[in-house]
Amino acid sequence: MTEKLSKEPADTPPAEEPSGTTTVIPASPVGEVIKAIPVRHYGRWVSGVIVIALLLLIGYSFSQGDIQWNAIPAKIFDDSVVAGAGRTLLVSVLAMVLGVVLGIVLAVMRLSKNPVTSGVAWLYIWFFRGTPVYLQLLLWFNLALIFPYLDLGPLYKDEMTDVMTPFLCALLGLGLNEAAYMAEICRAGLLAVDEGQTEASQALGMSQGKTLRRIVIPQAMRVIVPPTGNEFINMLKTSALVYAVTYNELLRSTSAIGSTSYAVMEMLFVAAIWYLVMTSVFSVFQFYLERRYARGSLRSLPDTPLQKIKANLLGLSGDRSVR
Amino acid sequence: MSVMVQAENVYKSFGHVEVLKGINLEVATGEVFCLVGPSGSGKSTFLRCINHLEKVNAGRLSVDGQLVGYRQKGDKLYELKDSEVARQRREIGMVFQRFNLFPHMTALENVMEAPVQVKGESKATARERAVKLLDRVGLGDKAGNYPTQLSGGQQQRVAIARALAMEPKLMLFDEPTSALDPELVGDVLDVMRGLAEDGMTMIVVTHEMGFAREVGDSLVFMDEGVVVESGHPRDVLTNPQHDRTKSFLSKVL
Ligand SMILES: Nc1ncnc2c1ncn2[C@@H]1O[C@H](COP(=O)(O)OP(=O)(O)OP(=O)(O)O)[C@@H](O)[C@H]1O
Ligand SMILES: [Mg+2]
């Protein structure tokens, strides 16, 4: 070691030449593409073969099962199934919107200096995170038992059962529960923004509201969006619980067909396919959303899949630009 | 000569820690006022009091004849509403040690933000001025860059342009070059020198004694929350009267 350290550096920079003479840069061996025989990974081949064999086995046993395969394509675009998927999507999106908006409000409330405001937000989160969403759905569904009438004084009065439609139960149950989770996600996001940002904005004379909307929230979004995407995918699936409040979402409508046509498993497969399609489509959307909010935090944005394909095609046609 | 900033017996404490213990000073309109002192002496705190990022506990602090953060009626003081404080801040530009550019906006958008959002200027007008200001700080070609795509010195110059966009009557600089690599300091100081030549009133907290000597009109040495010594930079820097000033200067010069 000491020997190495004490050695003269091999390439001492040439002493400053007087102007006028040209320095010759020594040719380096860099520039020649290395051609070498790659390492063979035999282990990978063996494990790959085993996994494929297992998959084939599972596939085979399903093909031997008592499944009416043709029921799946026959029912997948059935009117009531499509309508059910539409309702699942509708109630999920609306509940998520409710959750996000209310979540941001709750997060701001929790961070407020006013103890009443932050206390109320804390209480809300405590209740809605601390009880099962299934129970909350049932609470909304059965509200008429304790309040037969919804009476907003001179504004509005109606029977609770008319107001609390299955849709509204589903929306409130899912949305209000989601808000509690979103509040914590948003709070983490708001806290992640450097205090200097608020100060800089206030020093410019921006109001608290503008500071929040224009400066803090857009930066918090980078932290908020990825877990919110996960929340939404969860919501798409959790919405199956609104079955309990008799809202005709995807699972309920497929099950209805399943029990009348004796194709119970087949209809569950149909539902599974729909859920997979919806979550997959959303995952793509989420990628672009995250990319948008990464603006300014990365020196260059990650490639979109399309850009990657383009780059690969260009690469194949010989133009190997190093990135 | 009119007075831009006047501090009379300004006190400020955080909890039980007294940080400013009776600051008295006057900044004349159009002058470059340098504030030096050891770490923890309260320089940043004083600067932040001037635009009400911190509340003064006692004494009076006024900018351009207006009390900062309060209104006086008879012999009673009334706290200003948030919107009134914001109105006062519009007129005071501030440049931070750590730049604090808005990372989700380009350089141009950073400079346009406050005129559009606060003054309600049209985007076209704001853009026109922003482009001019970026040119002035030597960054006309970087308008479309995000802060992460700029060097520290470039970021600080954008931050100066951003503050100037509000057309302030007073600029506060809190160690604007302390976070910069030595070779980038010069560009920022050049911009500040240019501002001084144009007659901007500036309060500069700095460790750049060369700049203070060359550009400064007055200099205050602060230690442990009080003004120890003040005068023309040349006098204070070459011929300090107090031991504390002497020992501080011997460390930084
Ligand atoms: N928000 C705060 N809460 C509590 N103490 C604070 C706060 N801000 C500053 N202080 C304390 O006040 C004192 C003065 O701080 P200040 O930042 O004004 O010093 P400074 O002169 O700017 O120092 P430096 O040269 O290191 O920037 C320090 O002891 C600091 O710990
Ligand atoms: Mg400081």
Side-chain angles (χ1 to χ4, degrees), chain A residues 36-293:
Chain A
I37 293 140
V39 177
R40 309 249 184 246
H41 297 281
Y42 296 108
R44 284 187 202 165
W45 281 100
V46 174
S47 53
V49 167
I50 294 177
V51 170
I52 289 176
L54 282 175
L55 282 178
L56 287 176
L57 203 65
I58 294 173
Y60 176 75
S61 36
F62 267 90
S63 70
Q64 296 306 297
D66 183 12
I67 299 171
Q68 310 165 36
W69 289 107
N70 50 9
I72 294 175
K75 291 292 182 192
I76 195 154
F77 291 118
D78 186 282
D79 285 348
S80 74
V81 171
V82 173
R87 284 193 205 100
T88 284
L89 199 61
L90 179 74
V91 78
S92 300
V93 168
L94 290 182
M96 199 65 204
V97 170
L98 180 63
V100 169
V101 172
L102 195 56
I104 291 177
V105 172
L106 284 166
V108 172
M109 280 171 70
R110 270 216 73 180
L111 293 173
S112 128
K113 289 194 193 94
N114 183 337
V116 175
T117 329
S118 67
V120 167
W122 181 88
L123 206 67
Y124 181 99
I125 294 167
W126 174 74
F127 177 78
F128 282 93
R129 264 202 333 179
T131 54
V133 62
Y134 188 62
L135 182 148
Q136 291 167 28
L137 283 164
L138 293 178
L139 281 181
W140 290 111
F141 190 57
N142 293 308
L143 203 60
L145 294 182
I146 50 172
F147 300 116
Y149 290 96
L150 178 64
D151 191 350
L152 299 178
L155 285 176
Y156 187 84
K157 184 172 164 146
D158 204 347
E159 280 186 49
M160 191 59 88
T161 43
D162 290 343
V163 182
M164 275 295 156
T165 58
F167 171 74
L168 196 62
C169 287
L171 180 63
L172 287 176
L174 293 176
L176 297 188
N177 179 259
E178 187 56 37
Y181 286 91
M182 283 310 302
E184 291 298 278
I185 291 174
C186 294
R187 190 167 70 105
L190 293 177
L191 287 176
V193 179
D194 188 70
E195 245 187 312
Q197 293 292 309
T198 312
E199 288 187 351
S201 161
Q202 289 183 342
L204 286 166
M206 289 173 71
S207 67
Q208 276 191 358
K210 282 234 165 90
T211 299
L212 205 58
R213 258 181 295 130
R214 299 281 312 170
I215 308 299
V216 178
I217 290 180
Q219 292 181 59
M221 287 309 262
R222 192 166 49 84
V223 179
I224 294 173
V225 165
T228 304
N230 289 340
E231 286 294 309
F232 183 67
I233 285 179
N234 252 329
M235 174 70 84
L236 275 171
K237 296 177 299 172
T238 312
S239 69
L241 286 180
V242 305
Y243 200 134
V245 296
T246 68
Y247 183 61
N248 250 325
E249 44 67 66
L250 178 56
L251 189 61
R252 193 176 153 92
S253 42
T254 49
S255 301
I257 300 178
S259 55
T260 50
S261 65
Y262 302 106
V264 176
M265 275 299 265
E266 288 78 358
M267 289 317 291
L268 287 177
F269 288 159
V270 167
I273 291 170
W274 271 104
Y275 280 117
L276 282 172
V277 167
M278 286 193 280
T279 50
S280 307
V281 168
F282 177 72
S283 300
V284 174
F285 175 67
Q286 187 184 8
F287 173 84
Y288 284 94
L289 203 64
E290 281 178 26
R291 197 169 174 277
R292 180 187 145 84
Y293 283 108

